[in-house]
Amino acid sequence: FVAFGFSTGIADLFQDKSNMGKIDVDNKGRCLVYSIQLQKVSELARRGETKRQAGDFAGAISDFDLALQLDPHDVSALRSRGDAKRMLDDFAGAIEDLDAALKLEPRNAFALRSRGDAKRMVDDHMGAIHDLDLALQLEPRNPVALSSRGDAKRMLEDSMGAIADLDIALQMDPKNAFALSSRAASKRLMGDFLGAIADLDRALEMDPCDAFALRRRGEAKRLARDFAGAIQDLDLALVIEPANALALWRRGEAKRQGGDATGALGDLNLALQLEPINATALCSRSDTKLMLQDYMGAMEDLDAAVQLEPANAAALRSRGELKRLSGDFQGSIEDLDRALQLEPQNAVALSSRGDAKRMLDDCQGALVDLDLALELDPNNALDLARRGEVKREQGDFAGAIDDLDLALELEPRNVVALSSRGDAKRMLNDCVGALQDLDLALQIEPDNPFALCCRSEAQKMEESRWFVQKADSLGPLNCLMSQQLKWAIICGGPVGLTLALTLAESMERQGLDSEAATVEIYVSWIEKDENSKWQRKRGTSSVEMVTLQDPVLDSLSPELRSAFGHGASPRPGRSALVAGLEMKLLEKAQQPPFNTYIRIHDYAETDVQPVWLSSLCCDVIVSDSSLTRCAFPGAFVNPAAPHVDVEAQQLQLSAEGNESNLVEADFALGINLSFGASKQARFNAIFSMAQNIYQLSSDEASECGCLSIRITKEEYYELLDSTGRCPESADLGSPIRLFGEEDLHLITDEKASMLQLRLPWLRRRITEGFKLYGLQLEQMTSITVVQLRPAYTQCFYHVLGDASTDTSSAPKLLLLAGEAAISDHFWPCRGLNSGLKSAAAIVKMWLQCETLAEGAGKYNSFMDKLRKFEMQQRSAPRDQLPWGGALLRSMESPEAQSLDRMAREQEEANRQSFLENCKLWRDFLQQSEGWPHESVTDEDLEEQLYKTIGPKELELHLMVCSASTRPSSAVSSTSSRRSGSSTTGGPDRPWLTNAKCHWLEPVDPSSDEHWLR
């Protein structure tokens, strides 16, 4: 029996003599032992099948082994043992058993289905589909076969076919977790991440601890950029399977993409400890190291990945990109060539290779690659930007702009595309468009070197174009200067009146006909009295003071100088009330010989518009009113100039919504005074120069004046808030009245008022200023605050009318002077001396230049130099005061206490420092020509500072902190913080350096007698 293939158990059956009588043959002569064997095989097979279906695959295999020993050709046992082996991942053993079963019974659907699934598990997806196709021919509606075939199709990237199979399987068995998971993977491959997540949600409802489904859902969420959700799922998957390298890699990727490079590196390190030869994880760790700027480590990982898998296109692509970023463009191209041999249709590799070729000046090769990349991915903003950049470098600027427009529609904040398009527009002379693009690029990335460089070039081009256009506009003005006899002057103050009087003087000296030569004056603040004489309107006077520079007064005739003082030769360096000067000049304009040529008109400020100015019957218009500048926004300031356009117009533009663009203002508290001048005039100039907080301007003749106190922005707004004033209630540069005479008791009362409690620093600051200049609190008449900003123009002329288009009248020349041209008000009415210089320059221009165009050009050159000189002189006061807002709220605040403690500790050093500064300024001022007072000795200064004034520690500390550290610096910035002028007369006087006087070459253009050459 053994020889015939029966087991030893059957042989023993025959050796048992008790069975001898039982052995018989059937009617076909077969031994009954065969029947016994079949019964035994059937019993073992049934028991094995029961165990298999119960999940006891090892027990099932043992029973099937015994059954197959009895009957090696039992198809059922072979089929079931093969399936049990498949379930225990013994796919080779499973396939061997199932092959044997199918040899015996080729159309066994179960065996075909099980072998197909085993082949799928060993990545023989084509073999799997073949078996499953046969199985489904036999059982077309078998959900298991459909699920398995669908997954095999998925692995062959036939996502549509996979989903078709899996949809049918799930229709028949909606709770098929494997089918749900597989369909989710197919949807993920097709980019339907939300659909994938929905399928996996259903699968996990049936089995929340399915680590496989959790990993897949985590990956789908990562691809949907839900990095937090992805990490949450992968955390759960790793709780179930802590050593799963795939889950670690995916979680690492999710962390990297979510910005947690450090956490990503930890996960990827663990994944690679479990699977050191995982090329995908190496590529991912390389990307993470790049984020951490570990370029060497990133390259090492990519080298290892390529060494493990030389045909790994992703690793080659990443290494090529890294080489491109590191500047190894040739090495980059070599890697990307290999990657593209493996994946010829990879748009990312084509784009990177194209950019590497561009960097090697192979623009044609770059275009070929980028064209191919964009055929594959037409809406890729990076590729469009790169192709636009190549076209720009080839000189195809219009084509570049077309590509970059598309790129920026997709990614409006793409700095590379914005910068490149800006430069392409610049090359097509669209500098305005270029600057718009480049400004936006620099808002996003302020330090981008390419954008900075391109913007600088575009800025220069646009500025140059504007200046060329301004110069070209003078072409029609080729008429003789001597024929320009009709002048119109828009008067904002003393500058326009002085110019009118000087022109009238010149006309009178030349004996010009008063009908042919006229000076029309337009003044907004005048009205006629009962005698038909022009006078100042009631309520329009102010107490603004100015200190007049001697060299400026020397440029006027004796007759005109008398309007600036009590005689033909006013005292040098004296202060004067601006309103008084204006009235004296207005009176002179109505007296002979000036009134022979001067005609006076009143006008409303709203009249200052282009149409009105063009309608004036004159040859030349001069305006010292900033309203004229605002009537022509683009005429006097280059719109493309950085910052200058804002600074030049900001005096009037704050009401037009540009407040956010304005530079920081200066802030001052104005204490208006009466009842006599200071009793210590010889100290006033010295103390004013030695610090930058207090400034006294007074007019002894009118017995009034103003003490200006510099304050911080925080203090300014705290004052407005405490007094209920609105900063928008006054124009920029105009004082806001805080206290009238009836309200001053709130500050002067010894009993602390609510205001004193709220602003404890205010009375102290005012009191110290009064002590410094020998004033009494009873001399206060009112208190105002003002915020002031610098304002300059770049061009000082504008041509009204165009002879080529307007033949009805000849073009007119409009010139800016005084406040309209240069204004920088730290203290009120600062610009008068500069304005008088501009008036003198206009008269010289008229008398000495041959043509109107030549005169305008030379006047503009002079004013540009004067502007630069004034800007240098006025830089210091715009620095922030050193104590900021520390004195606000309460002197009990920690900031104020710290400041007060520091002042007490440094009191002696501060007093000595202020005394030394005063001595240096004393030496300088007394050496200057025209010092009007008796000498001040060291003892006088010490007596005044230590005994008479004795400023409080805190205010002394603030004065020392605000003072210029060197007298030379203080001199150069004097004009910026004096009420109206430099006490020393500007650059015409020696400048002090290290307490010694040195004559320097003048930089004030008005000091050059031959400035018109």
Side-chain angles (χ1 to χ4, degrees):
F1 286 102
V2 175
F4 280 98
F6 295 119
S7 67
T8 55
I10 300 299
D12 291 341
L13 180 66
F14 281 88
Q15 291 174 2
D16 186 354
K17 293 182 179 180
S18 63
N19 292 325
M20 291 301 292
K22 299 177 183 178
I23 298 175
D24 201 353
V25 295
D26 62 10
N27 56 4
K28 294 183 180 180
R30 293 178 297 189
C31 181
L32 291 180
V33 174
Y34 182 69
S35 298
I36 296 171
Q37 180 195 27
L38 291 177
Q39 292 175 9
K40 187 66 173 178
V41 168
S42 177
E43 181 183 341
L44 288 168
R46 279 197 305 272
R47 191 171 68 187
E49 183 64 17
T50 301
K51 291 180 179 179
R52 183 186 71 82
Q53 291 181 10
D56 180 11
F57 304 115
I61 290 170
S62 296
D63 284 344
F64 290 134
D65 285 343
L66 290 174
L68 287 166
Q69 286 178 14
L70 293 171
D71 187 357
H73 303 293
D74 189 297
V75 173
S76 176
L78 284 167
R79 179 199 68 179
S80 293
R81 187 175 71 175
D83 193 65
K85 289 180 179 180
R86 178 182 67 83
M87 297 301 293
L88 290 177
D89 296 339
D90 178 11
F91 303 116
I95 292 170
E96 183 182 356
D97 279 349
L98 294 163
D99 284 345
L102 287 164
K103 282 181 183 179
L104 297 170
E105 192 177 319
R107 292 177 58 79
N108 188 301
F110 182 91
L112 286 166
R113 185 173 68 245
S114 187
R115 187 175 70 176
D117 200 56
K119 288 180 178 179
R120 180 182 66 83
M121 298 301 293
V122 294
D123 295 331
D124 179 12
H125 303 298
M126 292 297 295
I129 291 172
H130 177 267
D131 281 350
L132 293 163
D133 283 344
L134 293 174
L136 286 163
Q137 288 175 10
L138 300 169
E139 295 177 351
R141 305 285 293 173
N142 188 294
V144 176
L146 285 164
S147 301
S148 191
R149 186 175 70 175
D151 197 62
K153 289 179 178 179
R154 175 184 67 84
M155 297 302 294
L156 292 175
E157 299 184 3
D158 177 13
S159 298
M160 294 295 292
I163 289 175
D165 279 349
L166 294 163
D167 283 345
I168 297 171
L170 285 164
Q171 286 174 9
M172 292 184 288
D173 184 5
K175 294 186 177 182
N176 187 327
F178 172 76
L180 285 166
S181 180
S182 184
R183 187 172 70 175
S186 297
K187 289 180 178 179
R188 190 189 73 209
L189 291 173
M190 296 179 68
D192 180 11
F193 306 124
L194 295 180
I197 292 168
D199 278 347
L200 290 163
D201 286 344
R202 288 174 57 190
L204 286 164
E205 284 176 5
M206 292 180 279
D207 185 1
C209 296
D210 185 347
F212 185 78
L214 284 166
R215 285 199 304 272
R216 280 191 168 171
R217 189 172 69 176
E219 179 67 0
K221 288 181 178 179
R222 180 184 73 83
L223 294 170
R225 306 194 68 78
D226 176 12
F227 304 121
I231 292 168
Q232 186 177 9
D233 277 349
L234 292 163
D235 284 345
L236 292 172
L238 285 163
V239 169
I240 300 165
E241 296 178 358
N244 189 291
L246 179 61
L248 286 165
W249 167 72
R250 286 178 171 172
R251 188 173 70 176
E253 266 297 281
K255 289 180 179 178
R256 180 185 71 81
Q257 291 180 280
D260 179 12
T262 304
L265 187 62
D267 279 347
L268 293 165
N269 285 337
L270 288 173
L272 285 163
Q273 286 176 14
L274 295 168
E275 291 184 10
I277 58 173
N278 187 324
T280 306
L282 284 166
C283 292
S284 188
R285 189 171 70 177
S286 169
D287 292 339
T288 305
K289 288 179 177 178
L290 271 180
M291 290 178 64
L292 296 170
Q293 300 184 352
D294 179 9
Y295 303 110
M296 293 292 293
M299 186 62 77
E300 288 172 1
D301 278 348
L302 289 170
D303 286 342
V306 171
Q307 188 174 2
L308 286 170
E309 297 180 11
N312 187 316
L316 287 165
R317 187 171 63 245
S318 293
R319 190 171 70 174
E321 178 65 7
L322 181 55
K323 287 180 179 179
R324 184 188 68 81
L325 292 172
S326 63
D328 179 10
F329 304 116
Q330 190 58 50
S332 171
I333 291 171
E334 291 172 1
D335 276 348
L336 292 166
D337 284 344
R338 291 172 59 188
L340 285 163
Q341 288 174 4
L342 299 165
E343 295 178 351
Q345 300 294 302
N346 190 292
V348 175
L350 284 165
S351 176
S352 286
R353 187 174 70 177
D355 199 57
K357 288 179 178 179
R358 177 183 70 84
M359 297 304 294
L360 292 176
D361 296 327
D362 178 11
C363 289
Q364 197 56 43
L367 274 180
V368 171
D369 279 347
L370 290 165
D371 285 343
L372 289 172
L374 285 164
E375 285 178 11
L376 296 166
D377 187 2
N379 294 322
N380 189 298
L382 176 62
D383 295 351
L384 285 164
R386 283 174 169 172
R387 189 171 69 177
E389 180 68 7
V390 174
K391 290 179 179 179
R392 183 187 67 82
E393 292 183 6
Q394 285 186 313
D396 179 10
F397 303 116
I401 290 172
D402 289 340
D403 277 346
L404 295 164
D405 284 345
L406 293 172
L408 288 164
E409 285 179 11
L410 297 165
E411 293 183 7
R413 293 176 64 80
N414 186 312
V415 173
V416 173
L418 284 166
S419 303
S420 192
R421 186 174 72 174
D423 195 56
K425 288 180 179 179
R426 176 182 71 85
M427 297 304 294
L428 292 176
N429 292 320
D430 177 13
C431 291
V432 174
L435 288 169
Q436 289 174 348
D437 280 347
L438 294 164
D439 284 342
L440 181 54
L442 290 168
Q443 285 178 16
I444 300 166
E445 194 175 314
D447 298 324
N448 186 287
F450 179 69
L452 286 168
C453 179
C454 290
R455 196 197 185 288
S456 175
E457 292 301 314
Q459 185 77 49
K460 291 175 185 177
M461 286 179 63
E462 184 62 15
E463 288 187 46
S464 299
R465 179 180 294 104
W466 186 80
F467 284 111
V468 169
Q469 290 171 349
K470 293 299 293 183
D472 289 345
S473 70
L474 294 174
L477 304 180
N478 54 5
C479 47
L480 294 177
M481 194 73 191
S482 59
Q483 296 175 350
Q484 310 310 303
L485 303 179
K486 292 188 178 296
W487 293 72
I489 300 176
I490 314 301
C491 288
V495 173
L497 291 168
T498 303
L499 173 60
L501 292 166
T502 307
L503 285 170
E505 269 189 331
S506 298
M507 292 175 178
E508 196 267 338
R509 282 197 300 268
Q510 297 177 63
L512 297 178
D513 182 2
S514 61
E515 294 299 322
T518 59
V519 181
E520 308 285 341
I521 302 178
Y522 297 87
V523 188
S524 64
W525 40 267
I526 59 172
E527 62 185 6
K528 286 188 176 180
D529 62 12
E530 63 274 9
N531 299 318
S532 296
K533 291 289 185 180
W534 291 105
Q535 64 177 7
R536 177 180 286 277
K537 291 179 181 178
R538 294 180 181 180
T540 62
S541 62
S542 68
V543 294
E544 293 179 343
M545 308 295 299
V546 63
T547 303
L548 298 166
Q549 291 181 352
D550 302 335
V552 175
L553 293 177
D554 291 343
S555 68
L556 304 176
S557 68
E559 180 68 17
L560 285 180
R561 282 205 302 272
S562 65
F564 290 86
H566 297 295
S569 300
R571 192 187 69 197
R574 70 182 302 279
S575 296
L577 190 66
V578 174
L581 290 178
E582 290 171 343
M583 281 307 302
K584 291 176 183 178
L585 292 168
L586 185 63
E587 288 172 6
K588 280 194 175 294
Q590 300 176 80
Q591 298 171 359
F594 305 105
N595 62 355
T596 304
Y597 297 95
I598 292 176
R599 313 284 187 269
I600 302 175
H601 312 272
D602 64 341
Y603 77 99
E605 291 184 348
T606 54
D607 292 338
V608 185
Q609 299 295 330
V611 174
W612 180 75
L613 290 167
S614 299
S615 69
L616 297 178
C617 185
C618 60
D619 302 314
V620 181
I621 303 172
V622 181
S623 175
D624 72 343
S625 168
S626 58
L627 293 172
T628 308
R629 182 176 64 221
C630 299
F632 301 92
F636 304 105
V637 177
N638 188 343
H643 308 302
V644 180
D645 57 333
V646 175
E647 292 176 3
Q649 301 177 64
Q650 60 191 355
L651 202 63
Q652 296 294 332
L653 289 186
S654 63
E656 299 179 16
N658 295 327
E659 183 71 23
S660 61
N661 294 326
L662 302 184
V663 296
E664 189 63 68
D666 282 316
F667 301 89
L669 185 68
I671 314 296
N672 297 314
L673 307 168
S674 64
F675 310 118
S678 167
K679 302 297 189 293
Q680 52 182 50
R682 62 178 180 149
F683 295 106
N684 291 351
I686 297 171
F687 290 149
S688 293
M689 299 294 284
Q691 46 80 45
N692 196 21
I693 303 298
Y694 301 103
Q695 166 64 33
L696 175 66
S697 299
S698 62
D699 181 34
E700 296 177 9
S702 61
E703 294 192 343
C704 63
C706 179
L707 174 64
S708 297
I709 304 175
R710 193 175 177 206
I711 58 177
T712 66
K713 179 179 180 179
E714 295 89 345
E715 291 165 344
Y716 171 81
Y717 282 105
E718 185 75 4
L719 277 167
L720 294 178
D721 182 58
S722 299
T723 55
R725 300 300 190 270
C726 176
E728 287 76 24
S729 63
D731 294 332
L732 187 65
S734 299
I736 299 176
R737 185 182 177 94
L738 297 181
F739 304 100
E741 196 164 1
E742 67 281 2
D743 303 317
L744 292 176
H745 67 90
L746 297 172
I747 297 173
T748 58
D749 285 349
E750 290 300 326
K751 184 179 179 181
S753 64
M754 185 62 69
L755 181 73
Q756 292 187 37
L757 293 174
R758 189 168 183 181
L759 301 173
W761 55 271
L762 181 59
R763 178 186 169 97
R764 291 184 58 162
R765 196 80 55 80
I766 293 173
T767 301
E768 289 301 311
F770 275 52
K771 287 169 59 180
L772 191 64
Y773 293 105
L775 301 168
Q776 303 297 320
L777 289 177
E778 292 75 18
Q779 291 178 258
M780 282 195 297
T781 60
S782 63
I783 299 177
T784 62
V785 289
V786 63
Q787 63 166 321
L788 304 152
R789 292 187 175 93
Y792 300 100
T793 60
Q794 290 177 286
C795 186
F796 301 87
Y797 66 83
H798 180 57
V799 179
L800 299 177
D802 185 348
S804 63
T805 58
D806 183 8
T807 57
S808 61
S809 62
K812 300 179 178 66
L813 178 65
L814 171 61
L815 299 175
L816 297 185
E819 295 288 322
I822 301 175
S823 58
D824 186 341
H825 298 268
F826 173 62
W827 305 112
C829 204
R830 165 60 188 89
L832 178 56
N833 288 282
S834 297
L836 293 175
K837 293 176 186 178
S838 65
I842 290 173
V843 177
K844 285 185 179 181
M845 173 196 78
W846 181 51
L847 295 174
Q848 299 180 25
C849 291
E850 183 175 354
T851 67
L852 187 56
E854 177 194 0
K858 290 191 173 181
Y859 174 72
N860 193 72
S861 177
F862 167 81
M863 291 298 292
D864 188 58
K865 293 177 182 177
L866 184 62
R867 173 179 69 87
K868 291 175 181 176
F869 170 71
E870 292 290 334
M871 289 176 72
Q872 293 169 355
Q873 293 282 294
R874 302 169 185 193
S875 60
R878 288 191 291 274
D879 296 336
Q880 291 295 310
L881 294 177
W883 62 91
L887 299 183
L888 293 180
R889 299 185 303 277
S890 169
M891 288 301 294
E892 303 302 320
S893 68
E895 299 90 347
Q897 286 185 345
S898 174
L899 198 63
D900 188 61
R901 183 169 57 254
M902 186 187 307
R904 293 178 186 278
E905 293 170 355
Q906 300 176 10
E907 178 186 3
E908 186 54 39
N910 284 337
R911 199 172 301 279
Q912 190 62 32
S913 175
F914 187 58
L915 177 62
E916 291 301 317
N917 218 24
C918 289
K919 289 178 180 178
L920 292 176
W921 282 111
R922 183 270 320 271
D923 293 342
F924 175 72
L925 292 172
Q926 291 188 164
Q927 291 174 31
S928 301
E929 181 181 350
W931 173 250
H933 307 292
E934 61 182 280
S935 297
V936 177
T937 66
D938 288 355
E939 290 75 16
D940 291 335
L941 282 173
E942 291 175 10
E943 174 74 16
Q944 193 74 6
L945 184 58
Y946 281 89
K947 295 182 180 178
T948 305
I949 302 173
K952 296 286 185 181
E953 303 89 345
L954 183 55
E955 278 67 29
L956 175 65
H957 182 75
L958 302 183
M959 285 193 287
V960 171
C961 288
S962 71
S964 301
T965 54
R966 295 175 57 192
S968 58
S969 300
V971 172
S972 67
S973 63
T974 298
S975 60
S976 66
R977 64 176 192 258
R978 302 297 138 241
S979 176
S981 169
S982 164
T983 306
T984 65
D988 313 276
R989 297 283 183 261
W991 288 20
L992 189 66
T993 305
N994 296 329
K996 296 181 181 179
C997 294
H998 298 283
W999 288 93
L1000 303 181
E1001 182 181 353
V1003 293
D1004 185 345
S1006 66
S1007 64
D1008 182 2
E1009 292 295 327
H1010 308 286
W1011 65 272
L1012 284 174
R1013 287 182 180 175

